[in-house]
Amino acid sequence: MGTGHYGRRPGARSKVKKYKKKTWLCRRAKDTDQIQDELEKAQETGKPIKFEYDDDLPGGGQFYCPETGKHFIDAKALADHKKSRYYKRRVKDVKEEKYTQNVAEWAAGMTKEKLPPAHPRK
């Protein structure tokens, strides 16, 4: 005796996975190193990060939080965001030292150590 027919078509789950991956990628926040680069450039030029009015962005792109890389609808939403736990954690992460390739190699044990010569010259 069989258990019956399987309810879904073959490959139906694949479509769901592709949709979830696509929506996750488009809503993904900027990485910490990208934000650190933007803030460094703003400090070098001496100008704050500003956007021209754009209808596609929330609030026309006028209310931007550089630490998190997000746009907000109005000044109140931005002020509320700056009180949030997410913002405070992100500021702490941005203040940390940048993670570079040298640090990654050192952590992996690929450092170039200068050892004393095995047979020193006399």
Side-chain angles (χ1 to χ4, degrees):
M1 296 180 82
T3 56
H5 184 266
Y6 185 66
R8 289 192 199 127
R9 278 186 274 141
R13 181 72 187 147
S14 172
K15 292 178 186 176
V16 172
K17 287 192 288 187
K18 286 178 187 174
Y19 173 76
K20 284 187 176 182
K21 187 172 187 176
K22 184 183 84 167
T23 54
W24 178 79
L25 282 173
C26 72
R27 291 174 184 246
R28 186 172 178 215
K30 284 187 179 178
D31 290 328
T32 322
D33 57 337
Q34 291 174 319
I35 292 173
Q36 287 172 338
D37 289 338
E38 285 180 2
L39 292 174
E40 281 178 9
K41 286 179 186 175
Q43 284 181 346
E44 287 173 5
T45 59
K47 297 178 183 176
I49 301 170
K50 291 262 183 177
F51 289 88
E52 293 181 17
Y53 189 83
D54 186 4
D55 283 333
D56 295 335
L57 296 173
Q62 302 303 305
F63 306 100
Y64 179 70
C65 176
E67 288 86 2
T68 55
K70 290 188 175 191
H71 294 273
F72 294 93
I73 296 173
D74 56 2
K76 184 182 182 318
L78 180 60
D80 290 344
H81 163 72
K82 289 197 175 189
K83 295 177 188 174
S84 70
R85 181 180 295 170
Y86 173 74
Y87 171 78
K88 291 175 184 174
R89 278 190 192 150
R90 193 64 170 211
V91 168
K92 209 181 275 185
D93 290 343
V94 169
K95 284 183 182 176
E96 286 182 6
E97 188 179 337
K98 247 183 179 177
Y99 191 71
T100 61
Q101 184 63 32
N102 293 335
V103 175
E105 288 175 359
W106 176 81
M110 296 171 56
T111 57
K112 297 176 183 175
E113 298 178 28
K114 289 194 173 187
L115 300 173
H119 304 288
R121 294 183 183 174
K122 293 182 182 179

